Amino acid sequence: MNSEQTKSNNSALYTLITVFFFWGFIGASNGIFIPFCKAKFGLDQFQSQLIDFAFYGAYYIGALLLFIFSSIAKKDILNGWGFKKGIIYGLLISTFGAVLMILAVTQGSYLFILGALFIVALGFSLQQTSAQPFAASLGEPHSASSRLNLAGGINSLGTTIGPIVVSIALFGVIAGVNIEEFAQKPDSLDSMRILYVFVGGLFLLAAALFHFSKKLPSGKSDSTFETANKAMQTLIAITVILVAIFAYIFSRYEDAEFITRFIENKEKDYLGLGLTVSTLLVVVIGLFFANTTAQKNPEGWGAMKYPQLVLGMLALFAYVGVEVTIGSNLGELLVTADFGSISGPALAPYMSMYWGSLMIGRWAGAITVFNPSSQLKKILLIVVPYVAFGVVLAANAISGQDVTPLYAYAFVILFQIAGFFLGKDQPSRTLMIFGLMGMTAMLIGLFTTGTIAIFAFMSGGLFLSIMWPSIFSLAIAGLGKYTSQGSAFLVMMILGGGIIPPLQGKLADIIGIHASYFIPVLCFAFIAFYGWKVIGILEKQGIGKEIEVGGAH
């Protein structure tokens, strides 16, 4: 590769990583937007969590539609376009979603806001499916992992500053704003309109940069498309059932008697909880059915005949679900008296530190890419997390927030550092250790209050940080010609971010927001189980060595 081509590809990479930044920025900022919308539109906790359902459900729908259309055409549609065009099309869809969001906040319609957010994330789904292999193609194969880790680190930077920017956009930098009083102001959504004008402009600018960079490769892979009609039919069936359940749930909120009984009179909606639990069961039972049936007759099931993939899909579902639900429900938790009655812009540092915790872990996880000596690596595993911690504190301090309550969080980071040393660069071992640590942290948060509980729940980000690449690499191990298909199925499991937060939200409406955090305990427990179980599965298939961890989500 000549120097001119290298410069062009580096330019493309620098543009590409802005796309990773967008995903993190918008997704993490939902943690501020959810409690605001709850107060603005008079929602219960379940209704407010529909923001996550719309956002992360779009990832699933987008990936599923691409798979269905490719199956019908019997060719990989995205590969036919090229990853570069896939990213451009995704950015244009997100731009359209940003325009709709401007109209939605102008009209002050919550349903319109959900629809607009769905379109933004639908574009993200196409970008996500295109961007990671495109980043890998922009250079020599041996350096692909470093490019993916760079992109993952920028994604985490977006998750860190997203809550800060949205908090400033909504509330300004004035401390002590009461979120409920502020939300009732007629012009309280005006600043969100300005924010999405800016965000939409960035989407359009990024698309233009890609389009007019004529010397850049189109980014196509040599892999062939493998059909899996039975897997496709199962995924369609799961989707139809999920849509039917949520459509019925939505219809209940159109009933005036329901609203009076369960929202205004604060009655407990056990039927709603049962329906929401059923959405989780549909996914779990559907995937286990697919794998069990495929073991008996693999024809037509494609990658779903591999147990490491199906269990990995559920693990990734749990990972995205717990990552999103901790952050999305944290705002509601912190406004309670037991957690300091923190609200408005004062929420931003805590939200930022939770999402920043993922950045802390991902920066540390990227150290191996640069092949440091054993001694230097040990030093960096201690130093790098605290450098990232300093970046999070600095970002909040610059925005005018009081970060002194977060200084003591430096002690919590020691547990993550210990986890890296115990994991010994083995993804299954690291996944199991971090899963157990995350489960322990959630239990500590459940049985305490105040600063200890807040730090325990925020530390979930530290232990989640390495899970995407670990689960992904283990799930696609040994898939051979079905690797590309398995990767597409795994991307669909971002759906967990649209199912688990509403489930916790509905549970919170019945048993209280604090007690509802036993949902993350279960998620971490399953992830730890997968880390323990998957190696036995791979060994039975003759895959005796660990899989190298790749880039982060």
Side-chain angles (χ1 to χ4, degrees), residues 114-346:
L114 292 179
L117 200 57
F118 179 88
I119 300 299
V120 170
L122 200 61
F124 284 1
S125 176
L126 186 53
Q127 295 166 42
Q128 173 91 307
T129 310
S130 307
Q132 298 205 45
F134 189 54
S137 72
L138 292 175
E140 299 297 336
H142 71 269
S143 60
S145 59
S146 63
R147 291 190 293 278
L148 289 170
N149 275 288
L150 172 63
I154 297 299
N155 172 266
S156 295
L157 181 62
T159 65
T160 301
I161 72 172
I164 301 170
V165 173
V166 172
S167 179
I168 293 173
L170 278 172
F171 311 114
V173 295
I174 303 172
V177 174
N178 183 293
I179 193 168
E180 292 189 1
E181 291 179 2
F182 181 86
Q184 298 310 313
K185 294 181 178 180
D187 61 348
S188 59
L189 277 169
D190 286 356
S191 51
M192 286 301 292
R193 182 167 61 243
I194 298 170
L195 177 65
Y196 268 89
V197 168
F198 179 71
V199 168
L202 287 177
F203 290 154
L204 199 58
L205 176 61
L209 287 173
F210 271 94
H211 177 73
F212 290 111
S213 299
K214 299 297 184 181
K215 294 183 179 181
L216 299 180
S218 60
K220 295 186 178 183
S221 69
D222 297 326
S223 61
T224 57
F225 181 77
E226 298 290 339
T227 57
N229 290 331
K230 291 179 181 177
M232 180 181 70
Q233 292 165 6
T234 300
L235 289 169
I236 291 174
I238 289 173
T239 305
V240 169
I241 296 171
L242 289 176
V243 169
I245 294 172
F246 272 103
Y248 178 68
I249 291 174
F250 294 157
S251 70
R252 299 174 78 224
Y253 281 93
E254 298 296 322
D255 186 335
E257 181 182 349
F258 171 84
I259 294 173
T260 301
R261 287 181 59 199
F262 294 107
I263 299 179
E264 294 182 9
N265 296 338
K266 305 296 183 182
E267 290 190 25
K268 295 180 178 180
D269 181 18
Y270 291 106
L271 175 59
L273 176 61
L275 289 169
T276 312
V277 170
S278 69
T279 62
L280 176 63
L281 294 178
V282 165
V283 176
V284 174
I285 293 173
L287 291 179
F288 273 123
F289 164 79
N291 184 246
T292 302
T293 307
Q295 293 297 309
K296 298 175 182 176
N297 180 13
E299 184 179 353
W301 286 104
M304 281 194 182
K305 65 186 176 184
Y306 294 95
Q308 67 265 36
L309 175 72
V310 174
L311 286 175
M313 289 170 71
L314 289 171
L316 207 65
F317 180 91
Y319 153 70
V320 179
V322 72
E323 176 187 287
V324 176
T325 201
I326 292 174
S328 294
N329 285 288
L330 194 59
E332 180 67 15
L333 182 74
L334 296 181
V335 301
T336 63
D338 285 343
F339 288 83
S341 300
I342 303 166
S343 66

Side-chain angles (χ1 to χ4, degrees), residues 78 81-91 123 126-127 130 218:
L78 181 58
W81 291 342
F83 300 133
K84 174 183 172 182
K85 284 187 177 178
I87 293 170
I88 293 172
Y89 295 155
L91 285 165
L126 186 53
Q127 295 166 42
S130 307
S218 60

